[in-house]
Coordinates of all heavy atoms in Angstrom, one line a residue:
M231 N -5.0 4.3 -17.3 CA -5.2 3.4 -16.0 C -3.9 2.7 -15.7 O -3.8 2.4 -14.5 CB -6.4 2.5 -16.3 CG -7.0 1.8 -15.1 SD -7.7 3.1 -14.1 CE -8.0 2.2 -12.6
F232 N -3.2 2.4 -16.7 CA -1.9 1.6 -16.4 C -1.0 2.4 -15.5 O -0.4 1.9 -14.5 CB -1.2 1.3 -17.8 CG 0.1 0.6 -17.5 CD1 0.1 -0.8 -17.1 CD2 1.3 1.2 -17.7 CE1 1.3 -1.4 -16.9 CE2 2.5 0.6 -17.5 CZ 2.6 -0.7 -17.1
Q233 N -0.9 3.7 -15.9 CA 0.0 4.6 -15.0 C -0.6 4.8 -13.6 O 0.2 4.7 -12.6 CB 0.1 6.0 -15.6 CG 1.0 6.9 -14.8 CD 1.2 8.3 -15.5 OE1 0.6 8.6 -16.5 NE2 1.8 9.2 -14.8
A234 N -1.9 4.9 -13.5 CA -2.5 5.0 -12.1 C -2.2 3.7 -11.3 O -1.9 3.8 -10.1 CB -4.0 5.2 -12.2
T235 N -2.2 2.5 -11.9 CA -2.0 1.3 -11.3 C -0.6 1.2 -10.8 O -0.3 0.8 -9.7 CB -2.4 0.1 -12.2 OG1 -3.7 0.2 -12.6 CG2 -2.1 -1.2 -11.5
I236 N 0.4 1.6 -11.7 CA 1.8 1.6 -11.3 C 2.0 2.5 -10.1 O 2.7 2.1 -9.2 CB 2.7 1.9 -12.5 CG1 2.5 0.9 -13.6 CG2 4.1 2.1 -12.1 CD1 2.9 -0.5 -13.2
L237 N 1.4 3.7 -10.2 CA 1.6 4.6 -9.1 C 1.0 4.2 -7.8 O 1.6 4.3 -6.7 CB 1.0 6.0 -9.4 CG 1.8 6.8 -10.5 CD1 1.0 8.0 -10.9 CD2 3.2 7.2 -9.9
F238 N -0.1 3.5 -7.8 CA -0.7 2.9 -6.7 C 0.2 1.8 -6.0 O 0.4 1.7 -4.9 CB -2.1 2.3 -6.9 CG -3.2 3.2 -6.9 CD1 -4.2 3.2 -7.9 CD2 -3.4 4.2 -6.0 CE1 -5.2 4.1 -8.0 CE2 -4.4 5.1 -6.0 CZ -5.4 5.0 -7.0
I239 N 0.7 1.0 -6.9 CA 1.7 -0.1 -6.4 C 2.9 0.5 -5.8 O 3.4 0.1 -4.8 CB 2.0 -1.1 -7.6 CG1 0.7 -1.8 -7.9 CG2 3.1 -2.0 -7.2 CD1 0.8 -2.7 -9.2
L240 N 3.5 1.5 -6.5 CA 4.7 2.1 -6.0 C 4.4 2.8 -4.6 O 5.2 2.7 -3.7 CB 5.3 3.1 -6.9 CG 5.9 2.6 -8.2 CD1 6.3 3.7 -9.2 CD2 7.1 1.7 -7.9
A241 N 3.3 3.5 -4.5 CA 2.9 4.1 -3.3 C 2.7 3.1 -2.2 O 3.2 3.3 -1.0 CB 1.7 5.0 -3.4
G242 N 2.1 2.0 -2.5 CA 1.9 0.9 -1.6 C 3.2 0.3 -1.0 O 3.3 0.1 0.2
I243 N 4.1 0.0 -2.0 CA 5.4 -0.5 -1.6 C 6.1 0.4 -0.6 O 6.7 0.0 0.4 CB 6.2 -0.9 -2.8 CG1 5.6 -2.1 -3.5 CG2 7.6 -1.2 -2.4 CD1 6.2 -2.4 -4.8
A244 N 6.0 1.7 -1.0 CA 6.7 2.7 -0.1 C 6.1 2.8 1.3 O 6.7 2.9 2.3 CB 6.7 4.1 -0.8
E245 N 4.7 2.8 1.3 CA 4.1 3.0 2.6 C 4.3 1.7 3.5 O 4.6 1.8 4.6 CB 2.5 3.2 2.4 CG 1.9 3.4 3.8 CD 0.4 3.7 3.7 OE1 -0.2 3.5 2.7 OE2 -0.1 4.1 4.8
I246 N 4.1 0.5 2.9 CA 4.2 -0.7 3.6 C 5.7 -0.9 4.0 O 6.0 -1.3 5.1 CB 3.6 -1.9 2.8 CG1 2.1 -1.7 2.6 CG2 3.9 -3.2 3.5 CD1 1.6 -2.6 1.5
G247 N 6.5 -0.6 3.0 CA 8.0 -0.9 3.3 C 8.5 0.1 4.3 O 9.2 -0.4 5.3
G248 N 8.1 1.3 4.3 CA 8.5 2.3 5.3 C 8.0 1.9 6.7 O 8.7 1.9 7.7
G249 N 6.7 1.6 6.7 CA 6.1 1.1 8.0 C 6.8 -0.1 8.6 O 7.0 -0.3 9.8
Y250 N 7.1 -1.0 7.6 CA 7.8 -2.3 8.0 C 9.1 -2.0 8.6 O 9.5 -2.6 9.6 CB 7.9 -3.1 6.8 CG 8.6 -4.5 7.1 CD1 7.8 -5.6 7.6 CD2 9.9 -4.7 6.7 CE1 8.5 -6.8 7.9 CE2 10.5 -6.0 7.0 CZ 9.7 -7.0 7.6 OH 10.4 -8.2 7.8
L251 N 9.9 -1.1 8.0 CA 11.2 -0.7 8.6 C 11.1 -0.2 10.0 O 11.9 -0.5 10.9 CB 11.9 0.2 7.6 CG 12.4 -0.4 6.3 CD1 12.9 0.7 5.3 CD2 13.5 -1.4 6.6
I252 N 10.1 0.7 10.1 CA 9.9 1.3 11.5 C 9.5 0.3 12.5 O 10.0 0.2 13.6 CB 8.9 2.5 11.4 CG1 9.5 3.7 10.7 CG2 8.5 2.9 12.8 CD1 8.6 4.8 10.3
W253 N 8.7 -0.6 12.0 CA 8.2 -1.8 12.9 C 9.4 -2.6 13.3 O 9.6 -3.0 14.5 CB 7.2 -2.6 12.1 CG 6.7 -3.9 12.8 CD1 7.4 -5.0 13.1 CD2 5.4 -4.1 13.5 NE1 6.6 -5.9 13.8 CE2 5.4 -5.4 14.0 CE3 4.3 -3.3 13.6 CZ2 4.3 -5.9 14.7 CZ3 3.2 -3.8 14.3 CH2 3.2 -5.0 14.8
Q254 N 10.3 -2.9 12.4 CA 11.4 -3.6 12.6 C 12.3 -3.0 13.7 O 12.9 -3.6 14.6 CB 12.2 -4.0 11.4 CG 11.5 -4.9 10.4 CD 11.3 -6.3 11.1 OE1 12.2 -6.9 11.6 NE2 10.1 -6.8 11.1
W255 N 12.5 -1.7 13.5 CA 13.2 -0.9 14.4 C 12.7 -0.9 15.8 O 13.4 -1.2 16.8 CB 13.4 0.5 13.9 CG 13.9 1.5 14.9 CD1 15.1 1.4 15.7 CD2 13.4 2.8 15.2 NE1 15.3 2.5 16.4 CE2 14.2 3.4 16.2 CE3 12.3 3.5 14.7 CZ2 14.0 4.7 16.6 CZ3 12.1 4.8 15.2 CH2 12.9 5.3 16.1
L256 N 11.4 -0.6 16.0 CA 10.9 -0.4 17.3 C 10.4 -1.7 17.9 O 10.5 -1.8 19.2 CB 9.7 0.6 17.2 CG 10.0 2.0 16.9 CD1 8.7 2.8 16.7 CD2 10.9 2.7 18.0
R257 N 10.0 -2.6 17.1 CA 9.4 -3.9 17.8 C 10.4 -5.0 17.7 O 10.3 -5.9 18.5 CB 8.1 -4.3 17.0 CG 7.0 -3.3 17.0 CD 6.1 -3.4 18.2 NE 5.5 -4.7 18.4 CZ 4.3 -5.1 18.3 NH1 3.4 -4.2 17.9 NH2 3.8 -6.3 18.5
E258 N 11.3 -5.0 16.8 CA 12.2 -6.2 16.6 C 13.6 -5.9 16.9 O 14.5 -6.7 16.7 CB 12.0 -6.7 15.2 CG 10.6 -7.1 14.8 CD 10.0 -8.2 15.5 OE1 10.8 -9.1 16.1 OE2 8.8 -8.2 15.7
G259 N 13.9 -4.7 17.4 CA 15.3 -4.3 17.9 C 16.3 -4.0 16.7 O 17.5 -4.1 17.0
K260 N 15.8 -3.7 15.6 CA 16.8 -3.4 14.5 C 17.4 -2.1 14.8 O 16.9 -1.3 15.6 CB 16.0 -3.3 13.2 CG 15.5 -4.7 12.7 CD 16.5 -5.7 12.4 CE 15.9 -7.0 11.9 NZ 16.8 -8.1 11.8
P261 N 18.6 -1.8 14.2 CA 19.2 -0.5 14.4 C 18.3 0.7 14.1 O 17.4 0.6 13.3 CB 20.5 -0.6 13.5 CG 20.6 -2.0 13.1 CD 19.3 -2.6 13.2
S262 N 18.7 1.8 14.7 CA 17.9 3.0 14.5 C 17.8 3.5 13.1 O 16.9 4.2 12.7 CB 18.3 4.1 15.5 OG 19.7 4.5 15.3
Y263 N 18.9 3.2 12.3 CA 18.8 3.7 10.9 C 17.7 3.0 10.2 O 17.3 3.6 9.1 CB 20.2 3.6 10.3 CG 20.7 2.2 10.1 CD1 20.3 1.5 8.9 CD2 21.6 1.6 10.9 CE1 20.8 0.2 8.7 CE2 22.0 0.3 10.7 CZ 21.6 -0.4 9.6 OH 22.1 -1.6 9.3
W264 N 17.3 1.9 10.6 CA 16.1 1.3 9.9 C 14.9 2.2 10.0 O 14.1 2.3 9.1 CB 15.8 -0.1 10.5 CG 16.7 -1.2 10.1 CD1 18.1 -1.2 10.1 CD2 16.3 -2.5 9.6 NE1 18.5 -2.4 9.6 CE2 17.5 -3.2 9.2 CE3 15.1 -3.1 9.3 CZ2 17.5 -4.5 8.8 CZ3 15.0 -4.3 8.8 CH2 16.2 -5.0 8.5
G265 N 14.7 2.7 11.2 CA 13.6 3.6 11.5 C 13.8 4.9 10.7 O 12.8 5.4 10.1
L266 N 14.9 5.4 10.6 CA 15.2 6.6 9.8 C 14.9 6.4 8.3 O 14.2 7.2 7.6 CB 16.6 7.1 10.0 CG 17.0 8.3 9.2 CD1 16.2 9.5 9.7 CD2 18.5 8.6 9.4
I267 N 15.4 5.3 7.9 CA 15.1 5.0 6.4 C 13.6 4.8 6.2 O 13.0 5.2 5.2 CB 15.9 3.7 6.0 CG1 17.4 4.1 5.9 CG2 15.5 3.2 4.6 CD1 18.3 2.8 5.8
G268 N 13.0 4.1 7.2 CA 11.5 3.9 7.1 C 10.8 5.2 7.0 O 9.8 5.4 6.2
G269 N 11.2 6.2 7.8 CA 10.5 7.5 7.8 C 10.7 8.2 6.4 O 9.8 8.8 5.9
V270 N 11.9 8.1 5.9 CA 12.2 8.7 4.5 C 11.3 8.0 3.5 O 10.7 8.6 2.7 CB 13.7 8.6 4.2 CG1 13.9 9.0 2.7 CG2 14.5 9.4 5.1
V271 N 11.2 6.7 3.5 CA 10.4 5.9 2.6 C 8.9 6.3 2.8 O 8.2 6.4 1.8 CB 10.7 4.4 2.8 CG1 9.7 3.6 1.9 CG2 12.1 4.0 2.4
L272 N 8.5 6.5 4.0 CA 7.1 6.9 4.2 C 6.8 8.2 3.6 O 5.8 8.6 3.0 CB 6.8 6.9 5.7 CG 6.4 5.5 6.3 CD1 6.4 5.6 7.8 CD2 5.1 5.0 5.7
A273 N 7.8 9.2 3.7 CA 7.6 10.5 3.1 C 7.6 10.4 1.6 O 6.8 11.1 0.9 CB 8.8 11.4 3.5
L274 N 8.4 9.5 1.0 CA 8.3 9.2 -0.4 C 7.0 8.7 -0.8 O 6.5 9.1 -1.9 CB 9.5 8.2 -0.8 CG 9.6 7.9 -2.2 CD1 10.0 9.1 -3.0 CD2 10.6 6.8 -2.4
Y275 N 6.3 7.9 0.0 CA 4.9 7.5 -0.3 C 4.0 8.7 -0.6 O 3.2 8.7 -1.5 CB 4.4 6.6 0.8 CG 3.0 6.7 1.1 CD1 2.1 6.2 0.2 CD2 2.5 7.3 2.2 CE1 0.7 6.3 0.4 CE2 1.1 7.5 2.5 CZ 0.3 6.9 1.6 OH -1.1 7.1 1.8
G276 N 4.1 9.7 0.3 CA 3.3 10.9 0.2 C 3.6 11.6 -1.1 O 2.7 12.2 -1.8
V277 N 4.8 11.6 -1.6 CA 5.1 12.3 -2.8 C 4.7 11.5 -4.0 O 4.1 12.1 -5.0 CB 6.7 12.5 -2.9 CG1 7.1 13.0 -4.3 CG2 7.2 13.4 -1.8
I278 N 4.8 10.2 -4.0 CA 4.4 9.3 -5.1 C 2.9 9.6 -5.4 O 2.5 9.7 -6.6 CB 4.7 7.9 -4.9 CG1 6.2 7.6 -4.8 CG2 4.0 7.0 -5.9 CD1 6.6 6.3 -4.4
A279 N 2.1 9.6 -4.4 CA 0.6 9.8 -4.5 C 0.2 11.1 -5.3 O -0.8 11.1 -5.9 CB 0.0 9.7 -3.2
T280 N 1.1 12.1 -5.2 CA 0.8 13.4 -5.9 C 0.9 13.3 -7.4 O 0.4 14.2 -8.1 CB 1.7 14.5 -5.4 OG1 3.0 14.3 -5.8 CG2 1.6 14.7 -3.9
F281 N 1.5 12.2 -7.9 CA 1.7 12.1 -9.4 C 0.4 11.5 -10.0 O 0.4 11.4 -11.2 CB 2.9 11.2 -9.7 CG 4.2 11.8 -9.3 CD1 4.9 11.4 -8.3 CD2 4.6 13.0 -10.0 CE1 6.2 12.0 -8.0 CE2 5.8 13.7 -9.7 CZ 6.5 13.1 -8.7
Q282 N -0.6 11.1 -9.2 CA -1.8 10.5 -9.8 C -2.5 11.6 -10.5 O -2.5 12.9 -10.2 CB -2.7 10.0 -8.6 CG -2.3 8.8 -8.1 CD -2.5 7.5 -9.0 OE1 -2.9 7.6 -10.2 NE2 -2.2 6.4 -8.5
A283 N -3.1 11.3 -11.7 CA -3.8 12.2 -12.5 C -5.2 12.6 -12.0 O -5.8 13.6 -12.4 CB -4.0 11.7 -13.9
F284 N -5.8 11.8 -11.1 CA -7.1 12.1 -10.6 C -7.1 13.4 -9.8 O -6.2 13.7 -9.1 CB -7.6 11.0 -9.7 CG -7.6 9.6 -10.4 CD1 -6.6 8.7 -10.1 CD2 -8.5 9.3 -11.4 CE1 -6.5 7.5 -10.8 CE2 -8.5 8.1 -12.0 CZ -7.4 7.2 -11.7
P285 N -8.1 14.3 -10.0 CA -8.1 15.6 -9.4 C -8.4 15.7 -8.0 O -8.2 16.7 -7.3 CB -9.1 16.4 -10.2 CG -10.1 15.3 -10.7 CD -9.3 14.1 -10.9
S286 N -9.0 14.6 -7.4 CA -9.5 14.7 -6.0 C -8.6 14.0 -5.1 O -8.4 12.7 -5.2 CB -10.9 14.1 -5.9 OG -11.3 13.9 -4.6
F287 N -8.0 14.7 -4.1 CA -7.2 14.1 -3.1 C -7.9 12.9 -2.4 O -7.4 11.8 -2.2 CB -6.7 15.1 -2.1 CG -6.0 14.6 -0.9 CD1 -4.6 14.3 -0.9 CD2 -6.7 14.3 0.3 CE1 -3.9 13.8 0.2 CE2 -6.0 13.8 1.4 CZ -4.6 13.5 1.3
G288 N -9.1 13.2 -1.9 CA -9.8 12.2 -1.2 C -10.2 11.0 -2.0 O -10.0 9.8 -1.4
R289 N -10.5 11.1 -3.2 CA -10.8 10.0 -4.0 C -9.5 9.1 -4.3 O -9.6 7.9 -4.2 CB -11.4 10.4 -5.4 CG -11.9 9.2 -6.1 CD -12.8 9.6 -7.3 NE -14.0 10.3 -6.9 CZ -14.5 11.4 -7.5 NH1 -13.9 11.9 -8.5 NH2 -15.6 11.9 -7.0
V290 N -8.5 9.8 -4.5 CA -7.2 9.1 -4.8 C -6.8 8.3 -3.6 O -6.5 7.1 -3.6 CB -6.1 10.0 -5.2 CG1 -4.7 9.3 -5.1 CG2 -6.3 10.6 -6.6
Y291 N -6.9 8.9 -2.4 CA -6.5 8.2 -1.2 C -7.5 7.1 -0.8 O -7.1 6.0 -0.3 CB -6.2 9.2 0.0 CG -4.8 9.7 0.0 CD1 -4.4 10.6 -1.0 CD2 -3.9 9.2 0.9 CE1 -3.1 11.1 -1.0 CE2 -2.6 9.6 0.8 CZ -2.2 10.6 -0.1 OH -0.9 11.0 -0.2
A292 N -8.8 7.3 -1.0 CA -9.8 6.3 -0.8 C -9.5 5.1 -1.7 O -9.5 4.0 -1.2 CB -11.1 6.8 -1.0
A293 N -9.3 5.3 -2.9 CA -9.0 4.2 -3.9 C -7.7 3.5 -3.5 O -7.6 2.3 -3.6 CB -9.0 4.8 -5.3
Y294 N -6.7 4.3 -3.1 CA -5.4 3.7 -2.7 C -5.6 2.8 -1.5 O -4.9 1.8 -1.4 CB -4.4 4.9 -2.5 CG -3.2 4.3 -1.7 CD1 -2.3 3.4 -2.4 CD2 -3.0 4.5 -0.4 CE1 -1.3 2.9 -1.7 CE2 -2.0 4.0 0.3 CZ -1.1 3.1 -0.4 OH 0.0 2.5 0.3
G295 N -6.5 3.1 -0.6 CA -6.8 2.3 0.5 C -7.1 0.9 0.1 O -6.6 -0.1 0.8
G296 N -7.9 0.7 -0.9 CA -8.3 -0.6 -1.4 C -7.1 -1.4 -1.9 O -6.9 -2.6 -1.7
V297 N -6.3 -0.6 -2.7 CA -5.0 -1.2 -3.2 C -4.1 -1.6 -2.1 O -3.5 -2.7 -2.1 CB -4.4 -0.3 -4.2 CG1 -3.0 -0.8 -4.7 CG2 -5.3 -0.1 -5.4
F298 N -4.0 -0.7 -1.1 CA -3.1 -1.0 0.1 C -3.4 -2.2 0.8 O -2.6 -3.0 1.2 CB -3.2 0.3 1.0 CG -2.4 0.0 2.3 CD1 -1.1 0.3 2.3 CD2 -3.1 -0.3 3.5 CE1 -0.4 0.1 3.5 CE2 -2.4 -0.6 4.6 CZ -1.0 -0.3 4.7
I299 N -4.8 -2.5 0.9 CA -5.2 -3.8 1.6 C -4.6 -5.0 0.9 O -4.1 -5.9 1.5 CB -6.7 -3.8 1.7 CG1 -7.2 -2.7 2.7 CG2 -7.2 -5.2 2.1 CD1 -8.7 -2.4 2.7
V300 N -4.8 -5.0 -0.4 CA -4.3 -6.2 -1.2 C -2.8 -6.3 -1.2 O -2.2 -7.4 -0.9 CB -4.8 -6.1 -2.7 CG1 -4.2 -7.2 -3.4 CG2 -6.4 -6.2 -2.6
L301 N -2.1 -5.1 -1.3 CA -0.6 -5.1 -1.2 C -0.2 -5.6 0.2 O 0.9 -6.2 0.3 CB -0.1 -3.7 -1.5 CG -0.2 -3.3 -3.0 CD1 0.3 -1.9 -3.1 CD2 0.6 -4.2 -3.9
S302 N -0.9 -5.2 1.2 CA -0.5 -5.6 2.6 C -0.6 -7.1 2.8 O 0.2 -7.8 3.4 CB -1.5 -5.0 3.6 OG -1.2 -3.6 3.6
L303 N -1.7 -7.7 2.1 CA -1.8 -9.2 2.1 C -0.6 -9.8 1.4 O -0.1 -10.8 1.9 CB -3.1 -9.6 1.5 CG -4.4 -9.3 2.2 CD1 -5.6 -9.6 1.3 CD2 -4.5 -10.0 3.6
L304 N -0.3 -9.3 0.3 CA 0.8 -9.8 -0.5 C 2.2 -9.7 0.3 O 3.0 -10.5 0.2 CB 0.9 -9.2 -1.9 CG -0.3 -9.5 -2.8 CD1 -0.2 -8.6 -4.1 CD2 -0.3 -11.0 -3.1
W305 N 2.3 -8.5 0.9 CA 3.5 -8.3 1.7 C 3.6 -9.3 2.8 O 4.7 -9.9 3.1 CB 3.5 -6.9 2.3 CG 4.8 -6.5 3.0 CD1 5.1 -6.8 4.3 CD2 5.9 -5.8 2.5 NE1 6.4 -6.4 4.6 CE2 6.9 -5.7 3.6 CE3 6.2 -5.2 1.3 CZ2 8.1 -5.0 3.4 CZ3 7.4 -4.5 1.2 CH2 8.4 -4.4 2.3
G306 N 2.6 -9.4 3.5 CA 2.6 -10.4 4.7 C 2.8 -11.8 4.2 O 3.6 -12.6 4.9
W307 N 2.3 -12.2 3.0 CA 2.5 -13.5 2.5 C 4.0 -13.7 2.1 O 4.6 -14.6 2.4 CB 1.6 -13.7 1.3 CG 1.5 -15.1 0.7 CD1 1.9 -16.2 1.3 CD2 0.9 -15.4 -0.6 NE1 1.6 -17.2 0.4 CE2 1.0 -16.8 -0.7 CE3 0.3 -14.6 -1.5 CZ2 0.5 -17.4 -1.8 CZ3 -0.2 -15.3 -2.7 CH2 -0.1 -16.7 -2.8
G308 N 4.5 -12.7 1.3 CA 5.9 -12.8 0.8 C 7.0 -12.5 1.8 O 8.0 -13.2 1.7
I309 N 6.8 -11.6 2.6 CA 7.9 -11.1 3.5 C 7.8 -11.8 4.9 O 8.7 -12.3 5.5 CB 7.9 -9.6 3.7 CG1 8.0 -8.9 2.3 CG2 9.0 -9.1 4.7 CD1 9.3 -9.2 1.7
D310 N 6.6 -11.8 5.5 CA 6.3 -12.4 6.8 C 6.0 -13.8 6.8 O 5.8 -14.4 7.8 CB 5.3 -11.6 7.5 CG 5.8 -10.2 8.1 OD1 7.0 -10.1 8.3 OD2 5.0 -9.3 8.3
K311 N 5.8 -14.3 5.6 CA 5.4 -15.8 5.4 C 4.1 -16.1 6.1 O 3.9 -17.2 6.7 CB 6.6 -16.7 5.9 CG 7.9 -16.4 5.3 CD 7.9 -16.5 3.7 CE 9.3 -16.3 3.2 NZ 9.2 -15.6 1.9
K312 N 3.1 -15.2 6.1 CA 1.8 -15.4 6.7 C 0.8 -15.6 5.5 O 0.4 -14.6 4.9 CB 1.4 -14.3 7.6 CG 2.4 -13.9 8.7 CD 2.4 -15.1 9.7 CE 3.3 -14.7 10.9 NZ 3.7 -15.7 11.7
T313 N 0.5 -16.8 5.2 CA -0.5 -17.0 4.1 C -1.8 -16.5 4.3 O -2.5 -16.9 5.3 CB -0.5 -18.5 3.8 OG1 0.9 -19.0 3.6 CG2 -1.3 -18.8 2.5
P314 N -2.3 -15.6 3.5 CA -3.7 -15.2 3.6 C -4.7 -16.3 3.4 O -4.4 -17.2 2.6 CB -3.8 -14.1 2.5 CG -2.4 -13.7 2.1 CD -1.6 -14.9 2.4
D315 N -5.8 -16.3 4.1 CA -6.8 -17.3 3.9 C -7.9 -16.8 2.9 O -7.8 -15.8 2.4 CB -7.4 -17.8 5.3 CG -8.2 -16.6 5.9 OD1 -8.7 -15.7 5.3 OD2 -8.5 -16.8 7.2
L316 N -8.8 -17.7 2.7 CA -9.8 -17.4 1.7 C -10.5 -16.1 2.0 O -10.8 -15.4 1.0 CB -10.9 -18.6 1.6 CG -12.0 -18.4 0.7 CD1 -11.6 -18.3 -0.7 CD2 -13.1 -19.5 1.0
Y317 N -10.9 -15.9 3.3 CA -11.6 -14.6 3.6 C -10.7 -13.4 3.4 O -11.2 -12.3 3.1 CB -12.1 -14.8 5.0 CG -13.1 -15.9 5.1 CD1 -12.7 -17.1 5.7 CD2 -14.4 -15.8 4.5 CE1 -13.6 -18.2 5.8 CE2 -15.2 -16.9 4.6 CZ -14.8 -18.1 5.2 OH -15.7 -19.2 5.2
D318 N -9.5 -13.5 3.6 CA -8.5 -12.4 3.3 C -8.6 -12.1 1.8 O -8.7 -10.9 1.4 CB -7.1 -12.7 3.6 CG -6.9 -12.9 5.1 OD1 -7.5 -12.2 5.9 OD2 -6.0 -13.7 5.5
W319 N -8.6 -13.1 0.9 CA -8.7 -12.8 -0.5 C -10.0 -12.3 -0.9 O -10.1 -11.4 -1.8 CB -8.3 -14.1 -1.2 CG -6.8 -14.5 -1.1 CD1 -6.4 -15.7 -0.6 CD2 -5.7 -13.7 -1.4 NE1 -5.0 -15.7 -0.7 CE2 -4.5 -14.5 -1.1 CE3 -5.5 -12.4 -2.0 CZ2 -3.2 -14.0 -1.3 CZ3 -4.2 -12.0 -2.1 CH2 -3.1 -12.8 -1.8
I320 N -11.1 -12.9 -0.4 CA -12.4 -12.3 -0.7 C -12.5 -10.8 -0.3 O -12.9 -10.1 -1.1 CB -13.5 -13.2 0.0 CG1 -13.6 -14.6 -0.6 CG2 -14.9 -12.5 -0.1 CD1 -14.4 -15.6 0.1
G321 N -12.0 -10.5 0.9 CA -12.1 -9.2 1.3 C -11.3 -8.2 0.4 O -11.7 -7.1 0.1
G322 N -10.1 -8.7 0.1 CA -9.2 -7.9 -0.8 C -9.9 -7.7 -2.2 O -9.8 -6.6 -2.7
G323 N -10.6 -8.8 -2.7 CA -11.2 -8.6 -3.9 C -12.4 -7.6 -3.9 O -12.6 -6.9 -4.8
I324 N -13.1 -7.7 -2.8 CA -14.2 -6.6 -2.6 C -13.6 -5.2 -2.6 O -14.2 -4.3 -3.2 CB -14.9 -6.9 -1.3 CG1 -15.7 -8.3 -1.4 CG2 -15.8 -5.8 -0.9 CD1 -16.4 -8.8 -0.1
C325 N -12.4 -5.1 -2.0 CA -11.8 -3.8 -1.9 C -11.4 -3.3 -3.3 O -11.6 -2.1 -3.6 CB -10.6 -3.8 -1.0 SG -11.0 -4.0 0.8
L326 N -10.9 -4.2 -4.1 CA -10.4 -3.9 -5.4 C -11.7 -3.5 -6.3 O -11.6 -2.6 -7.2 CB -9.6 -4.9 -6.1 CG -8.2 -5.1 -5.6 CD1 -7.5 -6.3 -6.3 CD2 -7.4 -3.8 -5.6
I327 N -12.8 -4.2 -6.1 CA -14.0 -3.8 -6.8 C -14.4 -2.4 -6.4 O -14.8 -1.6 -7.3 CB -15.1 -4.9 -6.6 CG1 -14.8 -6.1 -7.2 CG2 -16.5 -4.3 -7.1 CD1 -15.6 -7.4 -6.9
G328 N -14.3 -2.1 -5.2 CA -14.6 -0.7 -4.7 C -13.7 0.3 -5.4 O -14.2 1.4 -5.8
V329 N -12.4 0.0 -5.5 CA -11.4 0.9 -6.1 C -11.9 1.1 -7.6 O -11.9 2.3 -8.0 CB -10.0 0.3 -6.1 CG1 -9.1 1.0 -7.0 CG2 -9.5 0.3 -4.7
L330 N -12.3 0.1 -8.3 CA -12.7 0.3 -9.7 C -13.9 1.1 -9.8 O -14.1 1.9 -10.7 CB -12.9 -1.1 -10.3 CG -11.6 -1.9 -10.5 CD1 -11.9 -3.3 -11.1 CD2 -10.6 -1.2 -11.5
V331 N -14.9 0.9 -8.9 CA -16.1 1.7 -8.9 C -15.8 3.2 -8.7 O -16.3 4.0 -9.4 CB -17.1 1.2 -7.8 CG1 -18.3 2.1 -7.7 CG2 -17.7 -0.2 -8.2
M332 N -14.9 3.5 -7.7 CA -14.5 4.8 -7.5 C -13.8 5.5 -8.6 O -14.1 6.6 -9.0 CB -13.7 4.9 -6.2 CG -14.5 4.7 -4.9 SD -13.4 5.1 -3.5 CE -12.5 3.6 -3.4
L333 N -12.9 4.8 -9.2 CA -12.1 5.4 -10.3 C -12.7 5.4 -11.6 O -12.4 6.3 -12.4 CB -10.7 4.7 -10.3 CG -9.9 4.9 -9.1 CD1 -8.5 4.2 -9.2 CD2 -9.7 6.3 -8.7
L334 N -13.6 4.4 -11.9 CA -14.0 4.3 -13.3 C -15.5 4.7 -13.5 O -16.0 4.6 -14.6 CB -13.8 2.8 -13.8 CG -12.4 2.3 -13.8 CD1 -12.4 0.9 -14.3 CD2 -11.5 3.2 -14.6
A335 N -16.1 5.0 -12.4 CA -17.6 5.4 -12.5 C -17.7 6.6 -13.4 O -16.9 7.6 -13.4 CB -18.1 5.7 -11.1
P336 N -18.7 6.6 -14.3 CA -19.0 7.8 -15.1 C -19.4 9.0 -14.3 O -20.3 8.9 -13.5 CB -20.0 7.4 -16.1 CG -20.7 6.3 -15.4 CD -19.8 5.6 -14.5
R337 N -18.6 10.1 -14.4 CA -19.0 11.3 -13.7 C -19.1 12.4 -14.6 O -18.5 12.5 -15.8 CB -17.9 11.6 -12.6 CG -17.8 10.5 -11.6 CD -17.0 11.1 -10.4 NE -17.2 10.2 -9.3 CZ -16.4 9.1 -9.0 NH1 -15.6 8.7 -9.9 NH2 -16.7 8.4 -8.0
Q338 N -19.7 13.5 -14.2 CA -19.9 14.7 -15.1 C -18.9 15.7 -14.9 O -18.2 15.9 -13.9 CB -21.3 15.3 -14.8 CG -22.4 14.3 -15.1 CD -23.8 14.8 -14.9 OE1 -23.9 16.1 -15.1 NE2 -24.7 14.0 -14.6

């Protein structure tokens, strides 16, 4: 589970970071190479996810979605200085519970 967690975090940083670079390029007037780097980082996100040991693409991406939500809150807090409120944290916690249910449920 430790390796899965690390891979989810790395994938999240790549997806959020790549999207952020593209956002900065298109919305905030940063140089075009920011967008190019963002595209490369987004592609890297897709590669990182393939290292997950779980056999189902859909389940991995669904579980990753919950992790992504929490990482997005943390990114917004740390990078954009937008403090999440109580309801953001409650929602993020619910998402992480959903991730645990999907990944740890006993299956045959």
